[in-house]
């Protein structure tokens, strides 16, 4: 049989066998074969994370070390030329959220970056990692060695029970506050731990050598963490009002349109000590000053019908926007969504209509997040 | 009980009535059901018409009318509590359809044939 469809073979996670043993239903995601859910199903996995501790395998994400060639300050300033964030003043042991922007002011990817004393550690999205690494290599060659980390798994442990699960295994975890990073020890294995995640809950992200990932994951499960798939990861981040790259933000959306102005500090804005100097600064700083033409907002569908990505939003007969993420919020107990609308229609409480299966249904602009976050600040 | 290729179960009742639900296998494949939109009672449907919209946490799908007839009852409980479909798919019926002759069920699979289908 002729194979005309040249589909890339799916990459397997290091914990593939464990996912299958735990009853994971595997689906393709960002080029990887990943568990979308385990035996409990999305709803129960979502709620287990909100009430206890959930274990997510996010090893598909890109981990990258940036090692300074001259000084860390030079590296930080170089990184600031790619990311509209305050990198220079990031304290040792701290992490921030940032965005790679392009010359037109669009978003190339969103990322986390941490100051680990003598270098930076960066975590980027799986679907963008090859492009991000090439981007960093192309622009940071004078100031940094860009070293992709390919031999370490990345696990997220999320929920109010996360600290009680991790502290006995890796003492020191409890001392960390939200967005702290540290090297912790588990049975002589070096864990790279950050107190962060993407569920709106307190919790950790833990990088460790792939060879040790399975026994460590089993230890977390034995300590009471529940395995959680991509389905619940998506509903958790949506309730927390967090963007999914490629859906809620991409090259066609600016950080200001994406309602991510909070990620751009004063020192990089007009009048700041290191104003501008990042790709797309003209547009982005103008939108900070004047407002963006459209904004990402929360949307609360009335009634019970979920409104999913791609659903069109109307004011009267005018098409005014589109949903970029949507579904049922298990903790909210109702359908929730995010999408883009003109700035004039972005105030909470504004009523629009969404077209669903040929019918117009009411939907109201809602404040984000849909579920309160519980970060340990 | 009879079964369709679309993973519905069909139960013959007195008065030429067929009760329609989805199988436990279908409910598992769909995942947690979060929304059900039922047809209106007294609607005339033809086999293959979209009768019910069902949404799980993952996706929207349809339940098709398996036979020609008139919708004579719908299970409103599912609108308020869609999770009943996952709890017990064989008691979570969606609608009842009145047919001319229950012999239309003869063409559908019996339990053994359905179990072979889902293997």
């Amino acid at each position: 049989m002729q194979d005309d469809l040249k589909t890339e073979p799916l990459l397997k996670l290091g914990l593939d066998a464990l996912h299958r043993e735990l009853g994971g239903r595997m689906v393709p995601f960002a080029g990887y074969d990943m568990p979308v859910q385990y035996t409990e199903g999305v709803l129960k996995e979502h709620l287990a994370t909100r009430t206890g501790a959930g274990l997510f395998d996010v090893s598909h994400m890109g981990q990258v070390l940036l090692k300074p060639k001259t000084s860390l300050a030079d590296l930080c300033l170089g990184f600031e030329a790619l990311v509209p964030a305050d990198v220079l003043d990031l304290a040792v042991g701290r992490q921030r959220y940032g965005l790679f922007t392009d010359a037109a002011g669009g978003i190339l990817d969103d990322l986390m970056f941490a100051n680990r004393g003598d270098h930076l550690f960066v975590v980027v999205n799986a679907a963008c990692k090859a492009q991000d690494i090439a981007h960093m290599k192309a622009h940071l060659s004078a100031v940094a060695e860009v070293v992709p980390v390919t031999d370490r798994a990345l696990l997220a442990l999320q929920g109010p029970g996360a600290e009680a699960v991790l502290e006995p295994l890796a003492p020191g975890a409890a001392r960390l506050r939200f967005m702290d990073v540290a090297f912790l020890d588990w049975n002589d294995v070096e864990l790279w731990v950050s107190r962060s995640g993407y569920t709106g809950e307190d919790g950790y992200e833990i990088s460790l050598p792939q060879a040790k990932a399975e026994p460590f994951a089993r230890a977390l499960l034995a300590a009471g963490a529940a395995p959680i798939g991509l389905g619940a990861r998506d509903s958790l981040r949506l309730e927390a009002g967090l963007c999914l790259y490629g859906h809620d933000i991409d090259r066609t959306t600016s950080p200001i349109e994406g309602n991510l102005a909070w990620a751009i500090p004063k020192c990089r804005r007009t009048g700041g000590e290191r104003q501008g100097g990042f790709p797309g600064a003209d547009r982005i700083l103008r939108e900070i000053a004047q407002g963006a033409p459209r904004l990402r907002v929360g949307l609360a569908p009335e009634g019970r019908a979920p409104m999913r990505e791609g659903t069109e939003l109307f004011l009267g007969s005018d098409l005014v926007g589109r949903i970029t993420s949507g579904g049922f919020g298990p903790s909210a107990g109702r359908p929730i969504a995010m999408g883009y609308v003109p700035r004039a229609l972005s105030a909470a409480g504004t009523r629009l209509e969404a077209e669903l299966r040929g019918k117009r249904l009411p939907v109201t602009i809602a404040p984000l997040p849909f579920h309160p976050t519980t970060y340990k600040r | 009980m009879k079964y369709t290729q679309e993973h519905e179960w069909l139960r013959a009742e007195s008065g030429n009535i067929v009760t329609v639900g989805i199988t436990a296998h279908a409910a598992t494949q769909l995942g947690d059901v979060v929304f059900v939109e039922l047809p209106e009672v007294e609607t005339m449907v033809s086999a293959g018409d979209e009768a019910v919209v069902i949404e799980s946490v993952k996706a929207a799908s349809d339940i098709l009318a398996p036979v020609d007839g008139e919708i004579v009852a719908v299970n409103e409980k599912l609108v308020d509590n869609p999770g009943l479909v996952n709890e017990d798919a064989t008691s979570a019926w969606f609608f009842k359809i009145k047919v001319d002759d229950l012999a239309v069920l003869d063409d559908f699979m019996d339990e053994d044939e359905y179990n072979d289908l889902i293997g």
Side-chain angles (χ1 to χ4, degrees), chain B residues 72-117:
Chain B
V72 292
V74 294
N75 187 358
E76 295 283 355
K77 276 189 203 165
L78 299 186
V79 174
D80 294 328
N81 192 356
L84 291 172
V85 177
N86 300 100
E87 281 170 32
D88 186 358
T90 30
S91 31
W93 61 277
F94 283 82
F95 56 90
K96 293 175 189 284
I97 185 165
K98 189 176 172 75
V99 296
D100 291 339
D101 186 347
L102 283 175
V104 292
L105 294 187
D106 294 349
D107 296 338
F108 293 98
M109 290 176 275
D110 63 21
E111 188 167 351
D112 285 345
E113 288 167 326
Y114 181 68
N115 285 336
D116 285 345
L117 175 76

Side-chain angles (χ1 to χ4, degrees), chain A residues 204-217:
Chain A
Y204 302 89
E205 289 181 311
I206 306 150
S207 166
L208 78 166
Q210 188 59 64
K212 305 290 183 183
E214 188 180 321
F216 181 67

Side-chain angles (χ1 to χ4, degrees), chain A residues 1-9:
Chain A
M1 196 174 79
Q2 190 136 10
D3 187 7
D4 288 326
L5 291 169
K6 289 207 172 85
T7 46
E8 296 279 321

